[in-house]
Amino acid sequence: MKKLIAFVAATFAAVSLASAADITIGARGAFGLGLGTSVEDPLELDTGKSLDYGFSAFGKIGLTEAIAIQPELGFTHHTVGLKYDLDMGPLGSYSAKGTMGINTLDFAVLGVYDIAINDAFTVSPFAGPQLGFVLGKGQGSGDMDGDAEFKSPILFDIVLGAGVSYKVGPGAIVGDLRYNLGLIALKDKDSEETLCTPRALKLSVGYQIKL
């Protein structure tokens, strides 16, 4: 993990030096719904309790007037809502509900295309990969109380979305809507049973300043 972080940091630094004439930095907070998160039978996803929230810092490095690379470093708390209904025939039924909380440190590199609507307002579709490193164990609550230790605590997402910026003061207010398409499932370290594949639709708001 240390080698990967060092590689990512070195890559960002090299690109920044090569494009030092047009660099923007910023930060934002994000909130999302775990839409599309998959769980294994017999568990079912409780969408109303599947929520994400977090924050991130980013740098936008202009390659041309319209095209930019945007590295991001962030923290996300994922809450996966779970429910379980078992029909035991003459014995009746058994139901359970709860959540599993997961914290991740996220690294993303997005390709951005800026479309200037006017001097103040810009729309920017983007796409790119994201790595998420799970921090510690998953924390269960409710009927799912207990800890979960993951076999391979690394997530890989494809991020798709679009952002907007509006110039205010020395910088600009920014917001974006993105979908994190998770491609790697988290598995229990001991049983190797698949627990979930986190995915989310996220809305974020923040502020950026051009250096």
Side-chain angles (χ1 to χ4, degrees):
M1 178 175 172
K2 291 181 179 179
K3 290 182 179 179
L4 178 60
I5 293 174
F7 173 76
V8 172
T11 301
F12 291 170
V15 175
S16 297
L17 290 173
S19 310
D22 189 5
I23 299 176
T24 300
I25 60 172
R28 61 172 173 267
F31 175 81
L33 298 175
L35 300 176
T37 295
S38 66
V39 297
E40 294 297 303
D41 290 335
L43 293 173
E44 297 179 28
L45 181 70
D46 189 344
T47 305
K49 294 183 179 180
S50 297
L51 306 171
D52 283 10
Y53 59 85
F55 55 87
S56 63
F58 62 90
K60 189 173 181 181
I61 304 162
L63 303 180
T64 70
E65 188 174 338
I67 299 174
I69 297 295
Q70 182 168 298
E72 300 182 349
L73 172 62
F75 170 86
T76 304
H77 177 76
H78 312 260
T79 302
V80 181
L82 301 169
K83 55 186 178 180
Y84 177 70
D85 294 301
L86 177 64
D87 185 358
M88 298 184 291
L91 299 177
S93 61
Y94 172 76
S95 298
K97 290 185 177 182
T99 63
M100 180 168 61
I102 305 166
N103 296 320
T104 59
L105 181 66
D106 306 315
F107 298 90
V109 180
L110 307 179
V112 182
Y113 187 79
D114 289 333
I115 304 170
I117 305 302
N118 54 43
D119 290 341
F121 185 66
T122 301
V123 177
S124 305
F126 56 78
Q130 175 177 292
L131 285 176
F133 297 90
V134 179
L135 305 175
K137 299 179 180 180
Q139 304 292 322
S141 67
D143 296 324
M144 312 295 178
D145 189 32
D147 297 337
E149 190 169 359
F150 305 112
K151 180 182 178 182
S152 180
I154 298 177
L155 299 172
F156 179 77
D157 297 355
I158 298 297
V159 180
L160 302 168
V164 295
S165 66
Y166 187 80
K167 292 182 179 179
V168 175
I173 295 173
V174 294
D176 72 42
L177 182 66
R178 63 178 63 189
Y179 188 74
N180 282 49
L181 177 62
L183 301 179
I184 294 181
L186 291 173
K187 295 184 178 182
D188 183 82
K189 184 176 182 180
D190 296 324
S191 68
E192 297 193 10
E193 292 183 355
T194 297
L195 300 175
C196 65
T197 305
R199 301 184 179 110
L201 179 66
K202 298 183 179 183
L203 178 66
S204 73
V205 178
Y207 194 77
Q208 67 180 25
I209 296 177
K210 188 173 182 178
L211 300 180

mmCIF file of all heavy atoms in Angstrom, residues 65 115-123 165-169 171-172:
data_model
loop_
_atom_site.group_PDB
_atom_site.id
_atom_site.type_symbol
_atom_site.label_atom_id
_atom_site.label_comp_id
_atom_site.label_asym_id
_atom_site.label_seq_id
_atom_site.Cartn_x
_atom_site.Cartn_y
_atom_site.Cartn_z
ATOM 1 N N GLU A 65 -7.019 24.191 -22.880
ATOM 2 C CA GLU A 65 -8.008 25.158 -22.394
ATOM 3 C C GLU A 65 -9.250 24.476 -21.842
ATOM 4 O O GLU A 65 -9.899 24.987 -20.929
ATOM 5 C CB GLU A 65 -8.399 26.106 -23.531
ATOM 6 C CG GLU A 65 -9.281 27.264 -23.081
ATOM 7 C CD GLU A 65 -9.529 28.266 -24.185
ATOM 8 O OE1 GLU A 65 -8.722 28.321 -25.136
ATOM 9 O OE2 GLU A 65 -10.521 29.007 -24.094
ATOM 10 N N ILE A 115 -16.813 22.869 -20.216
ATOM 11 C CA ILE A 115 -17.659 23.540 -21.207
ATOM 12 C C ILE A 115 -18.093 24.878 -20.608
ATOM 13 O O ILE A 115 -18.937 24.928 -19.708
ATOM 14 C CB ILE A 115 -18.893 22.689 -21.561
ATOM 15 C CG1 ILE A 115 -18.464 21.307 -22.049
ATOM 16 C CG2 ILE A 115 -19.748 23.386 -22.619
ATOM 17 C CD1 ILE A 115 -19.603 20.326 -22.190
ATOM 18 N N ALA A 116 -17.506 25.966 -21.061
ATOM 19 C CA ALA A 116 -17.809 27.296 -20.523
ATOM 20 C C ALA A 116 -19.145 27.785 -21.080
ATOM 21 O O ALA A 116 -19.283 27.989 -22.285
ATOM 22 C CB ALA A 116 -16.695 28.266 -20.870
ATOM 23 N N ILE A 117 -20.121 27.965 -20.201
ATOM 24 C CA ILE A 117 -21.426 28.479 -20.610
ATOM 25 C C ILE A 117 -21.367 29.998 -20.755
ATOM 26 O O ILE A 117 -21.913 30.576 -21.692
ATOM 27 C CB ILE A 117 -22.508 28.080 -19.591
ATOM 28 C CG1 ILE A 117 -22.505 26.553 -19.382
ATOM 29 C CG2 ILE A 117 -23.876 28.561 -20.063
ATOM 30 C CD1 ILE A 117 -22.726 25.745 -20.633
ATOM 31 N N ASN A 118 -20.677 30.642 -19.820
ATOM 32 C CA ASN A 118 -20.397 32.079 -19.901
ATOM 33 C C ASN A 118 -19.152 32.355 -19.065
ATOM 34 O O ASN A 118 -18.451 31.420 -18.661
ATOM 35 C CB ASN A 118 -21.606 32.912 -19.437
ATOM 36 C CG ASN A 118 -22.095 32.513 -18.062
ATOM 37 O OD1 ASN A 118 -21.291 32.285 -17.153
ATOM 38 N ND2 ASN A 118 -23.412 32.435 -17.895
ATOM 39 N N ASP A 119 -18.866 33.616 -18.793
ATOM 40 C CA ASP A 119 -17.641 33.960 -18.071
ATOM 41 C C ASP A 119 -17.623 33.418 -16.639
ATOM 42 O O ASP A 119 -16.549 33.228 -16.062
ATOM 43 C CB ASP A 119 -17.450 35.479 -18.032
ATOM 44 C CG ASP A 119 -17.098 36.051 -19.400
ATOM 45 O OD1 ASP A 119 -16.651 35.263 -20.265
ATOM 46 O OD2 ASP A 119 -17.275 37.272 -19.596
ATOM 47 N N ALA A 120 -18.797 33.159 -16.060
ATOM 48 C CA ALA A 120 -18.857 32.748 -14.659
ATOM 49 C C ALA A 120 -19.215 31.276 -14.461
ATOM 50 O O ALA A 120 -18.835 30.663 -13.461
ATOM 51 C CB ALA A 120 -19.877 33.610 -13.905
ATOM 52 N N PHE A 121 -19.940 30.697 -15.411
ATOM 53 C CA PHE A 121 -20.541 29.373 -15.205
ATOM 54 C C PHE A 121 -19.934 28.353 -16.164
ATOM 55 O O PHE A 121 -19.857 28.580 -17.371
ATOM 56 C CB PHE A 121 -22.053 29.474 -15.419
ATOM 57 C CG PHE A 121 -22.802 28.212 -15.115
ATOM 58 C CD1 PHE A 121 -22.865 27.717 -13.823
ATOM 59 C CD2 PHE A 121 -23.445 27.518 -16.125
ATOM 60 C CE1 PHE A 121 -23.563 26.557 -13.543
ATOM 61 C CE2 PHE A 121 -24.153 26.367 -15.853
ATOM 62 C CZ PHE A 121 -24.217 25.879 -14.555
ATOM 63 N N THR A 122 -19.499 27.196 -15.600
ATOM 64 C CA THR A 122 -18.880 26.136 -16.392
ATOM 65 C C THR A 122 -19.483 24.784 -16.014
ATOM 66 O O THR A 122 -19.711 24.502 -14.833
ATOM 67 C CB THR A 122 -17.356 26.092 -16.152
ATOM 68 O OG1 THR A 122 -16.782 27.339 -16.506
ATOM 69 C CG2 THR A 122 -16.703 24.994 -16.986
ATOM 70 N N VAL A 123 -19.741 23.967 -17.017
ATOM 71 C CA VAL A 123 -20.200 22.591 -16.825
ATOM 72 C C VAL A 123 -19.057 21.659 -17.213
ATOM 73 O O VAL A 123 -18.420 21.861 -18.247
ATOM 74 C CB VAL A 123 -21.447 22.288 -17.664
ATOM 75 C CG1 VAL A 123 -21.864 20.827 -17.516
ATOM 76 C CG2 VAL A 123 -22.592 23.209 -17.269
ATOM 77 N N SER A 165 -19.376 24.774 -11.918
ATOM 78 C CA SER A 165 -18.674 25.777 -11.105
ATOM 79 C C SER A 165 -19.225 27.153 -11.433
ATOM 80 O O SER A 165 -19.582 27.437 -12.578
ATOM 81 C CB SER A 165 -17.165 25.730 -11.362
ATOM 82 O OG SER A 165 -16.852 26.118 -12.687
ATOM 83 N N TYR A 166 -19.302 27.998 -10.395
ATOM 84 C CA TYR A 166 -19.791 29.367 -10.569
ATOM 85 C C TYR A 166 -18.861 30.300 -9.815
ATOM 86 O O TYR A 166 -18.661 30.155 -8.603
ATOM 87 C CB TYR A 166 -21.223 29.504 -10.045
ATOM 88 C CG TYR A 166 -21.842 30.846 -10.356
ATOM 89 C CD1 TYR A 166 -22.375 31.110 -11.618
ATOM 90 C CD2 TYR A 166 -21.871 31.853 -9.387
ATOM 91 C CE1 TYR A 166 -22.926 32.348 -11.913
ATOM 92 C CE2 TYR A 166 -22.427 33.089 -9.675
ATOM 93 C CZ TYR A 166 -22.947 33.334 -10.939
ATOM 94 O OH TYR A 166 -23.494 34.555 -11.231
ATOM 95 N N LYS A 167 -18.271 31.262 -10.526
ATOM 96 C CA LYS A 167 -17.277 32.154 -9.931
ATOM 97 C C LYS A 167 -17.902 33.032 -8.853
ATOM 98 O O LYS A 167 -18.880 33.740 -9.095
ATOM 99 C CB LYS A 167 -16.645 33.021 -11.011
ATOM 100 C CG LYS A 167 -15.766 32.238 -11.993
ATOM 101 C CD LYS A 167 -15.126 33.152 -13.022
ATOM 102 C CE LYS A 167 -14.242 32.366 -13.982
ATOM 103 N NZ LYS A 167 -13.614 33.233 -15.013
ATOM 104 N N VAL A 168 -17.305 32.965 -7.676
ATOM 105 C CA VAL A 168 -17.709 33.792 -6.541
ATOM 106 C C VAL A 168 -16.444 34.196 -5.797
ATOM 107 O O VAL A 168 -15.675 33.334 -5.351
ATOM 108 C CB VAL A 168 -18.657 33.036 -5.585
ATOM 109 C CG1 VAL A 168 -18.949 33.891 -4.351
ATOM 110 C CG2 VAL A 168 -19.942 32.656 -6.289
ATOM 111 N N GLY A 169 -16.185 35.476 -5.658
ATOM 112 C CA GLY A 169 -14.993 35.943 -4.978
ATOM 113 C C GLY A 169 -13.737 35.556 -5.740
ATOM 114 O O GLY A 169 -13.715 35.551 -6.976
ATOM 115 N N GLY A 171 -12.467 32.663 -6.101
ATOM 116 C CA GLY A 171 -12.553 31.328 -6.686
ATOM 117 C C GLY A 171 -13.927 31.028 -7.234
ATOM 118 O O GLY A 171 -14.565 31.892 -7.836
ATOM 119 N N ALA A 172 -14.399 29.823 -7.005
ATOM 120 C CA ALA A 172 -15.699 29.424 -7.530
ATOM 121 C C ALA A 172 -16.346 28.385 -6.619
ATOM 122 O O ALA A 172 -15.665 27.524 -6.047
ATOM 123 C CB ALA A 172 -15.555 28.853 -8.936
#
